[in-house]
Amino acid sequence: MKENYFDTTPLIKWQRWSWYIFSAYFALVTVLFVAGSGIAETLTVWGIVGILVSTLLKIFLFVIQFQKAGLFRFSLLSYLLVVILLSTVILKYWIL
Amino acid sequence: MPDLAVYILCGLSAGLLGGYLGLGGGIVMVPFLTVIAGLDFKVAVPVSVTAIVFNSFASSNEYLKRGMVDLELVIILAIFMVMGNITGSNLSQVVPAEFSRLVFTVLLVYTAFSLLKGRKTTERLAFSDNRRKFFTICVFLAFFTGIMAGLLGVGGGVILVPVLYLMIGLPLTTARGTSALMIGFSAAASSTVYFLNDSINFSVVAPVILGIIIGGKLGGFLGTLAKPVVVKVMFFIVMLYLAFRLGYDPLMELL
């Protein structure tokens, strides 16, 4: 019988690749800052957005893995965490 | 150009301390950016939390690989910590910088002395689970840590790890791993608030992150060369100096 458990491998891979990509990205942006390029600041903005989106997607990996492990209550709590994180954006752009 | 070098140095110091001594980056980054780089405290905090989100990708992965993270606890406490972070980050718009600087100074002095004293490395053999017993107080402490972290630009590990270790009863390494993963989510909440309020200085973030990358790698390498006592004493002196410079002006104004 196959046992259900929280598989951390996708989470580890996601974090590792995020780190590699953003390391290279911000190294490049710093070089552009040194070179005095005007695009460097815009690229930093998108880099920060990328880091935040990557963190959000990390929580969706939690949702998937909790569901696979049969821990549905925790997958719902993970959704709640997403909602709380997004609430600042929703409040800023759609409500306030 | 000289500014960029100073920002890289700030990130490098934070990465070095994190990689070598296992301390979070914020406790070094904020005073460095304020005292050494001469940035305003309210400019340093958003830069620090953004760099912490990035740093958490690497710091929590080591613990995940070794199975030293309590994932259920991460989700439950992160919910309350994130709410605290959002509150703290919004509070920073109204709380005077002098007050935040004074609170940070206290935190810095506390961290410097705990660093010098060192933690007991005795690991529990039996797993004692007090999460139901201390649930309410842990939730409150997670929320409080979130407020402080959002306000001061730190991760919050200095409060979280003792809570998870002493109250919940997790083994010390699992407490550190659980805290490292939670900090990634909570710092992301703070960073989002600061980003939406246009409080992040973009020209500082990139070099600081680059510094963290180099510092983290150097910290790992240094671990094989230098004696921990030498580095600890060195950072103790630096942290006390930073605490003095950070807290002196607000304290004089208060007196």
Side-chain angles (χ1 to χ4, degrees), chain A residues 6 8 11-20 22-24 26-31 33-35 40-41 44-46 48-52 54-56 58-59 62 66 71 73-74 77-78 80-81 84-85 87-90 92-93, chain B residues 1 4 8 50 53-58 60-61 64-66 71-76 78-80 82-83 86 90 132 181 184-189 191-193 195-198 200-210 213 217:
Chain A
F6 191 109
T8 52
L11 196 62
I12 292 167
K13 280 185 180 171
W14 181 262
Q15 293 211 106
R16 188 194 300 148
W17 281 103
S18 297
W19 190 85
Y20 284 143
F22 291 117
S23 293
F26 281 104
L28 177 77
V29 171
T30 310
V31 171
F33 268 117
V34 173
E41 201 160 305
T44 308
V45 176
W46 286 109
I48 294 170
V49 171
I51 289 177
L52 297 176
S54 174
T55 306
L56 203 65
K58 198 161 79 177
I59 307 175
F62 266 82
F66 274 131
L71 298 162
R73 206 164 36 158
F74 287 98
L77 286 173
S78 307
L80 180 64
L81 187 58
I84 294 167
L85 273 170
S87 67
T88 47
V89 184
I90 295 164
K92 173 91 180 178
Y93 289 110
Chain B
M1 183 70 183
L4 275 177
I8 293 173
T50 308
V53 186
F54 167 80
N55 207 22
S56 78
F57 288 134
S60 60
N61 242 16
L64 272 171
K65 277 183 209 164
R66 286 182 276 163
L71 294 154
E72 294 169 7
L73 213 54
V74 165
I75 289 299
I76 296 171
I79 287 172
F80 295 96
V82 160
M83 287 195 284
I86 294 169
N90 282 307
R132 283 184 193 277
L181 194 60
F185 297 132
S186 61
S191 185
T192 308
V193 172
F195 184 84
L196 294 172
N197 291 334
D198 292 323
I200 300 178
N201 188 329
F202 300 115
S203 59
V204 185
V205 173
V208 166
I209 288 181
L210 182 69
I213 299 164
K217 294 288 169 198

Side-chain angles (χ1 to χ4, degrees), chain A residues 4 7 9 35 46 52 61-63 71-72 74 76 78 82 85-87 92 95:
Chain A
N4 292 326
D7 183 11
T9 315
W46 286 109
L52 297 176
L61 283 178
F62 266 82
V63 173
L71 298 162
F72 298 107
F74 287 98
L76 284 175
S78 307
V82 172
L85 273 170
L86 286 177
S87 67
K92 173 91 180 178
I95 298 175

Side-chain angles (χ1 to χ4, degrees), chain B residues 33-115:
Chain B
L33 287 169
T34 313
V35 175
I36 312 289
L39 293 178
D40 190 77
F41 188 82
K42 289 197 173 184
V43 176
V45 168
V47 171
S48 171
V49 288
T50 308
I52 289 170
V53 186
F54 167 80
N55 207 22
S56 78
F57 288 134
S59 59
S60 60
N61 242 16
E62 290 307 313
Y63 293 101
L64 272 171
K65 277 183 209 164
R66 286 182 276 163
M68 287 166 174
V69 178
D70 190 321
L71 294 154
E72 294 169 7
L73 213 54
V74 165
I75 289 299
I76 296 171
L77 293 182
I79 287 172
F80 295 96
M81 197 173 163
V82 160
M83 287 195 284
N85 271 84
I86 294 169
T87 312
S89 311
N90 282 307
L91 268 178
S92 75
Q93 313 287 324
V94 288
V95 170
E98 287 74 22
F99 174 77
S100 305
R101 280 177 71 145
L102 271 179
V103 178
F104 201 104
T105 305
V106 175
L107 191 71
L108 198 58
V109 172
Y110 169 74
T111 312
F113 277 101
S114 346
L115 179 74

Side-chain angles (χ1 to χ4, degrees), chain B residues 138-221:
Chain B
C138 283
V139 159
F140 170 78
L141 284 171
F143 182 73
F144 172 76
T145 309
I147 293 176
M148 297 307 280
L151 193 66
L152 304 176
V154 294
V158 73
I159 305 174
L160 272 180
V161 175
V163 167
L164 296 170
Y165 176 62
L166 298 171
M167 294 186 84
I168 303 271
L170 292 184
L172 189 59
T173 38
T174 310
R176 283 181 186 160
T178 307
S179 158
L181 194 60
M182 272 172 66
I183 284 168
F185 297 132
S186 61
S190 289
S191 185
T192 308
V193 172
Y194 286 120
F195 184 84
L196 294 172
N197 291 334
D198 292 323
S199 305
I200 300 178
N201 188 329
F202 300 115
S203 59
V204 185
V205 173
V208 166
I209 288 181
L210 182 69
I212 284 181
I213 299 164
I214 303 165
K217 294 288 169 198
L218 262 176
F221 178 66

